[in-house]
Amino acid sequence: MGFLKSIFTWWEGATIGTRLFSWRNGGKVGTDGLGNAYFESKKLLAGRTRRWVIYSGANDASRVPPEWFGWLHHQTDAIPADLPTPKPWVKDPVPNLTGTGAAYRPVGALERGGNRAAATGDYEAWSPN
């Protein structure tokens, strides 16, 4: 089922067409710690190369580390494997948690009971003269 799934679906990795395109028209540049593979085209298009990522797992753009994001968007030409080690205070990237149980829900959200704090009385409605 893995081969058939790769032909028809795009949301859990690359389709077979994308993999063939990557093999034929581009070269693999590297991988990140999450297993995502990064490619660059062999030919120039509008004066620069095309760059893309093939995710290992679900296609979620928030799974691209910041250093590879910069490379993908032509902010730098340095391949992230050649970059200096990050500072100790830099946190690891966090995936997009929207739609999961760990998503941020402020006070008053329906998922937290829908009870907002009472008004404090410091608001005065504007009324024209």
Side-chain angles (χ1 to χ4, degrees), residues 61-74:
S62 67
R63 294 183 64 227
V64 175
E67 58 272 8
W68 280 104
F69 179 89
W71 179 82
L72 279 172
H73 295 281
H74 295 276

Side-chain angles (χ1 to χ4, degrees), residues 2 4 14 17 28 30 33 43 62 66 93 114 119 126:
L4 286 176
K28 186 174 180 179
K43 297 179 182 177
S62 67
W126 176 82

Side-chain angles (χ1 to χ4, degrees), residues 19-129:
R19 291 191 187 276
L20 287 174
F21 176 82
S22 299
W23 171 74
R24 185 172 182 206
N25 297 324
K28 186 174 180 179
V29 175
T31 58
D32 62 15
L34 299 172
N36 300 328
Y38 297 89
F39 294 86
E40 188 168 26
S41 64
K42 297 175 185 175
K43 297 179 182 177
L44 293 177
L45 179 65
R48 63 184 189 179
T49 59
R50 181 175 175 230
R51 297 174 177 175
W52 66 95
V53 59
I54 294 183
Y55 299 99
S56 68
N59 289 342
D60 183 5
S62 67
R63 294 183 64 227
V64 175
E67 58 272 8
W68 280 104
F69 179 89
W71 179 82
L72 279 172
H73 295 281
H74 295 276
Q75 295 172 348
T76 180
D77 287 331
I79 296 172
D82 301 336
L83 295 177
T85 57
K87 304 291 184 193
W89 44 264
V90 175
K91 294 182 178 181
D92 290 332
V94 177
N96 186 353
L97 300 175
T98 303
T100 68
Y104 172 71
R105 292 179 175 82
V107 176
L110 294 177
E111 292 87 358
R112 289 185 63 184
N115 297 325
R116 291 181 27 185
T120 60
D122 61 349
Y123 174 78
E124 182 180 328
W126 176 82
S127 63
N129 293 338

